[in-house]
Amino acid sequence: MMYLEQFSYLLASVLFILSLKMLGSAKTARKGMQYAMFGMALAIVITLIISGIVGPTQIIIGMVVGGLIGGVVAKRIEMTSMPQMVALFNGFGGVASTLVAYSEYIRFTGTEAMDVNITVILSLFIGTVTLTGSLIAYAKLQGLLPGRPLVLPMHQILNLLLMLGAIGFGVMNVMEPSVQMWALLIIGVAAIFGVTFVIPIGGADMPVVIALLNSYSGLAASATGFVLSNNVLIIAGALVGASGLILTQLMCDAMNRSLFNVLFGAVGTDDSTGEAGAPGGGEQKTVMRYTAEDAAMIMDTVQSVIIVPGYGLAVAQAQHVLHEMDQLLTARGIDVKYAIHPVAGRMPGHMNVLLAEANVPYDVLYEMDDINDEFQNTDVALIIGANDVVNPSARTKKDSPLYGMPILNVDYARTVMFVKRSMGAGFAGEANPLFFDDKTMMVFGDAKAVITGLVKALKADE
Amino acid sequence: MESLIVSIYVFTLAVFIGFELITKVPPLLHTPLMSGSNAISGITVVGALLAANSDNWELSTILGVFAIAFAMINVIGGFMVTDRMLGMFKKDKKTEQGA
């Protein structure tokens, strides 16, 4: 029976690995996830059977309650709210690990060897940091807390003290495993550290933080696996840990920031985005204002359009009408593509999901590196609700906070159209010189209203 | 101590496999990747089931039951929302026929 259990866990681990491999392509991704589901079901069922624990009602209750909550959330959640959901789920993963580790700890207090004790401490610490850190990230994304960085006096010293405290209590716990107070103190310190760790990070940097906490939730599961000497937990947790870490690195690269700078730099303005981004320099520059009808007229003469969507598009819920527009343009024989910057949206890959929800086929969505050379041969770059990711200052202006960030080369297109609510600067607070360029058309207004106007004008033309 | 060493082996190798696989996931699928990892990290439910397995209502049992519930939110919610998302990704029909 022991072998059946171990082989089932091995099979589950293989299925998880296969599912991640199949996520390498949009064609196989859905099937791959079904492999993972099967692996999970197998691991759960085998655990229930082998341990002879089909009996106790509390287990059934726990599974049903958790499953129902998860199911309802998954059905109801809006795609724009995916970052919040992932943040919250990261936290749930963390708290589950803490609870299991603590449960093991009090069951075997004092009887376990030192190495088990160390893994318990790690599990308690990582799990709790993941929980409170994720709750803060959730609150920031949901708007329950202000998005701007909240820095306490002597913040870094406080963090350092908390870390030292955790290590100190950990050592005490190893020396006196039977004293529960040490374990509780570790949890307490970890809970505070989770908060002080995330709270100084600005709303615009939340994609990095969710990815990092995603990694932690995996590590927490792994740590629990260490406590129980259970390999499927260790493997699944390690896979998730690696995944979160890679995404964290990709997000940092896309903003040209180091992880250290994101975590401790306290960069960023209020995420409601100020209107304060007045153009720099003394000279009075003017922008050319156009209407949706003007924009539609331009579309009469062009052959290629690249659409650059930003989060403003999603805020205005304009994805569906945008897709209607791209279909109208395509019907006229215009080549329409979408250029997706890695930090478009509020979590890794978010913009792709928002567009997929609006039925935009994924083969017209292009990554930055794949499309950047095409702008120079493109008639119109249509930028909707994005700013920093197309700001040429990132290339040239050395003192700009954006300097060095990889951007979409929209300024190489023959005509640049901005659909924007206002002249406001982006998250970075850096004015965009492209607004004042001769080939730039500014169409001010709510993205949905403007695109709807464009669609109307295009239809009237036919 | 020996089992700890084995655990470290398994962990280290799994991290390397993870790095290899995840670097091949296109940015297009990064959000489903994250929600999918939420679901996979729900594997803690296995540990939670063992922790809750007792006929006595001790504190350790109660903690285990709560752990089951939280982990199951991740498992069911994570898989369902990932599947829902991946179902939205469609290829352009025209190019499919053209190819």
Side-chain angles (χ1 to χ4, degrees), chain A residues 3 5 13-14 32 62 83 106 121 149 180 183 210 219-220 246 248 266 300 328 361 369 387 418 458:
Chain A
Y3 288 112
E5 183 184 10
S13 306
V14 170
I106 47 181
I121 293 165
Q180 277 201 32
I210 323 170
L219 294 179
I246 289 177
T248 307
D300 278 343
L328 283 172
D369 293 340
N387 189 358
F418 275 96
L458 284 171

Side-chain angles (χ1 to χ4, degrees), chain A residues 286-353:
Chain A
T286 51
V287 296
M288 298 202 267
R289 289 166 179 270
Y290 291 86
T291 63
E293 287 72 27
D294 300 330
M297 291 234 295
I298 298 280
M299 295 296 184
D300 278 343
T301 61
V302 303
Q303 279 157 2
S304 53
V305 175
I306 297 179
I307 300 171
V308 179
Y311 192 65
L313 173 79
V315 173
Q317 289 291 325
Q319 306 95 297
H320 288 87
V321 64
L322 179 64
H323 180 46
E324 198 182 343
M325 186 198 83
D326 89 45
Q327 284 174 312
L328 283 172
L329 294 178
T330 308
R332 295 179 170 201
I334 299 172
D335 181 31
V336 183
K337 289 174 178 156
Y338 287 79
I340 314 288
H341 192 277
V343 295
R346 305 195 83 186
M347 71 186 285
H350 195 194
M351 188 52 67
N352 298 293
V353 173

Side-chain angles (χ1 to χ4, degrees), chain A residues 119-195:
Chain A
T119 59
V120 166
I121 293 165
L122 273 179
S123 194
L124 293 178
F125 185 78
I126 302 175
T128 310
V129 170
T130 310
L131 170 68
T132 54
S134 298
L135 289 178
I136 297 293
Y138 169 80
K140 285 204 176 207
L141 287 163
Q142 188 72 26
L144 303 174
L145 278 178
R148 76 190 138 79
L150 294 174
V151 186
L152 305 170
M154 300 204 292
H155 203 106
Q156 296 320 330
I157 295 173
L158 177 65
N159 277 348
L160 192 67
L161 287 177
L162 288 168
M163 284 300 277
L164 289 176
I167 294 169
F169 296 138
V171 171
M172 291 311 290
N173 182 281
V174 169
M175 295 201 307
E176 300 176 313
S178 55
V179 182
Q180 277 201 32
M181 183 183 69
W182 300 125
L184 290 172
L185 280 170
I186 292 169
I187 294 178
V189 169
I192 302 172
F193 181 69
V195 174

Side-chain angles (χ1 to χ4, degrees), chain A residues 394-435:
Chain A
R395 269 190 233 122
T396 51
K397 203 173 153 201
K398 286 212 169 69
D399 58 342
S400 159
L402 292 174
Y403 182 70
M405 176 172 135
I407 56 162
L408 289 159
N409 297 330
V410 293
D411 50 333
Y412 295 167
R414 291 181 196 106
T415 302
V416 182
M417 272 184 210
F418 275 96
V419 175
K420 251 178 130 313
R421 274 188 317 192
S422 69
M423 284 295 290
F427 282 124
E430 178 73 30
N432 193 338
L434 197 54
F435 293 169

Side-chain angles (χ1 to χ4, degrees), chain A residues 23-24 30 40 53 58 66 70 74-75 77 82 89-90 93 103 107 115 222 246-247 348-350 361-363 367, chain B residues 1 11 19 26-27 29-31 34 38-39 51-54 57 60-61 65 69 73-74 77 83-85 90 92 95:
Chain A
L23 259 184
R30 202 170 184 193
M40 185 66 71
I53 49 178
Q58 71 263 26
K75 278 253 181 254
I77 192 85
M82 277 309 294
F89 279 21
N90 287 339
S103 168
R107 188 170 299 178
D115 55 334
S222 244
I246 289 177
L247 294 177
H350 195 194
Y362 65 78
D363 40 354
E367 292 167 32
Chain B
M1 203 66 188
F11 176 77
F19 272 119
L29 298 176
H30 277 170
T31 299
M34 288 182 82
N38 276 151
N53 182 23
S54 167
W57 277 95
S60 62
T61 317
V65 173
I73 294 178
N74 271 11
D83 189 64
R84 191 180 137 201
M85 242 187 287
K90 291 187 195 79
D92 195 347
T95 53

